[in-house]
Amino acid sequence: MSKGVISKDEDYSQWFNDLVIKSDMAEYSPVRGCMIIKPYGYSIWEKIQAVLDEMFKDTGHSNAYFPLLIPKSFFSKEASHVDGFAKECAVVTHYRLKNDGEGNIIVDEEAKLEEELIIRPTSETIIWNTYKGWIQSYRDLPILVNQWANVMRWEMRTRLFLRTSEFLWQEGHTAHATADEAIAETEQMLNVYADFAENWMALPVVKGRKTANERFAGALDTYCIEALMQDGKALQAGTSHFLGQNFAKAFDVKFTNKENKIEHVWATSWGVSTRLIGALIMAHSDDAGLVLPPKLAPIQVVVVPIYKHQEELDNISAYVDSLKKELKAKGISVKFDNRDTHRPGAKFAEYELKGVPLRVAIGSRDMQNGTVELARRDTKTKETTTQEGLAGKIESLLEEIQNNIYKKAFDFRAENTTEVDTWDEFKRLLDEQPGFLSAHWDGTSETEQKIKEETKATIRCIPLNNKQEEGKCILTGNPSTQRVLFARAY
């Protein structure tokens, strides 16, 4: 154990919780199933937001905001959608409290709502009810809207950042004149998510389509990116849905096309959530703490002075002020930790736990020699280097660290992705060597469900770059034309 963090090999679940709490990212709230995201954790979410928001706007999307509360009747208009979320809905039934005269606050029974309100589990229903007033003609299309919001899905078993009753996310909701346009939008946003995961989170992902069993409630097709965590379980890191005309028909959203004919619009929705922070932790971190890719680290560089007297600190501070200006000019976030309440060793341990990518230590002897000590979080290696050109060297090192973290995760996925051809081998590997199992499936929902019931493994996706090959389903032996990706998952 290190810093109160259990080894991930001993108890992966506890290791994850220890890291989240000890690194000051989040804590449990007084409300069961909900979490308090602390400043350090929230700063990562702010970085995720900033990058994705720019990517959305670069693809023509704009932000809007829709109500938290949705009339219950809206959910009954799209049958498969309500079936998918019915068991997770939190319902508001009254609008007032009162004092019972004995010092207790109770619900005022006379303040019952005429119609119950649902705390949004997702916003398709209220957004499509709104779009009905926005869309009359093909000239009003496409509508490309994104919303940053919180949602509520009543979870029985919760874990910080991975599965909480309330979580933060973004949800895109677009309307189009043709099916082809909507499908192109769905695929475009999947590629945006994959780009962000790989180039910012340093997280390799598999792009694919969900099976009918795993599809979003109300969608005709669901695209996803799937990532592999260090315990061999999969995590769905983003989804993009082609909704067809289901919601347009449910809410009677029609438009006059260029041929002056009236038809229903075509829809998409897509989203990622604070679950990405959970993925970030589980994909890269170690027993010493977080390992954060520099592009998303709240603090990319920390400078720790080592001194005995105020004069030495003043001398170091003057140099660090100049270095900070150079780094900030390069867009690099830097913290100078000159607290006199903590010894250097305690600071080193703190920033290792918090996953700061690069640590710079400067002592009085370094000032005399014109050197500094650089310590990388990803490899835990140290080197002494000259102060001359240090800002440029740090910039290069951060890029190297980003690439190395990605390569390590990519190699791990490659080593833990196995082609399987028999049912016995499939079951054995799930227990002995968890990871992605690439296997043939006969394409039926019944077989998929039976595999899930017997092994707790699900089809994570049908990869988009799948090669076509003849084979036999691992369970039934029926013919198959391609492999799909199985795993146990979060």
Side-chain angles (χ1 to χ4, degrees), residues 255-316:
F255 74 105
T256 305
N257 65 21
K258 291 181 180 180
E259 289 74 41
N260 209 35
K261 294 180 180 178
I262 296 176
E263 60 178 296
H264 289 96
V265 299
W266 298 83
T268 81
S269 66
W270 30 273
V272 295
S273 73
T274 38
R275 169 176 269 225
L276 291 181
I277 298 177
L280 205 63
I281 297 167
M282 292 196 296
H284 305 312
S285 302
D286 58 29
D287 290 348
L290 303 176
V291 176
L292 298 177
K295 286 185 177 182
L296 292 180
I299 305 166
Q300 293 173 302
V301 179
V302 63
V303 183
V304 178
I306 302 172
Y307 62 95
K308 294 181 179 179
H309 310 292
Q310 185 63 41
E311 184 179 348
E312 293 177 346
L313 176 60
D314 291 343
N315 191 26
I316 293 170

Side-chain angles (χ1 to χ4, degrees), residues 206-207 418-421 438-441 462-471 480-485:
V206 177
K207 293 187 288 186
T418 310
E419 288 194 356
V420 181
D421 293 309
S438 179
H440 282 279
W441 161 62
I462 304 167
L464 295 184
N465 60 352
N466 248 5
K467 62 181 179 181
Q468 298 297 301
E469 63 172 46
E470 297 298 323
S480 164
T481 59
Q482 62 180 339
R483 294 178 182 271
V484 297
L485 214 56

Side-chain angles (χ1 to χ4, degrees), residues 452-489:
K452 181 179 179 179
E453 290 171 356
E454 293 193 21
T455 67
K456 296 183 180 179
T458 56
I459 297 176
R460 302 314 306 159
C461 69
I462 304 167
L464 295 184
N465 60 352
N466 248 5
K467 62 181 179 181
Q468 298 297 301
E469 63 172 46
E470 297 298 323
K472 293 182 178 180
C473 174
I474 52 167
L475 180 64
T476 64
N478 292 333
S480 164
T481 59
Q482 62 180 339
R483 294 178 182 271
V484 297
L485 214 56
F486 287 90
R488 290 179 179 145

Side-chain angles (χ1 to χ4, degrees), residues 127-136 141 143 175-176 245-255 262-266:
I127 285 177
W128 279 93
N129 182 74
T130 303
Y131 283 177
K132 182 178 180 179
W134 291 6
I135 301 168
Q136 282 80 43
L141 298 170
I143 291 178
H176 304 267
Q245 295 175 309
N246 287 351
F247 286 92
K249 289 178 179 178
F251 290 90
D252 198 29
V253 185
K254 299 176 181 177
F255 74 105
I262 296 176
E263 60 178 296
H264 289 96
V265 299
W266 298 83

Side-chain angles (χ1 to χ4, degrees), residues 72-99:
K72 186 182 71 174
S73 59
F74 284 16
F75 282 84
S76 63
K77 294 184 178 182
E78 214 294 322
S80 59
H81 188 68
V82 71
D83 286 345
F85 287 101
K87 294 180 180 179
E88 299 177 344
C89 288
V91 185
V92 178
T93 59
H94 292 74
Y95 61 85
R96 189 167 60 220
L97 302 174
K98 68 177 182 179
N99 192 310

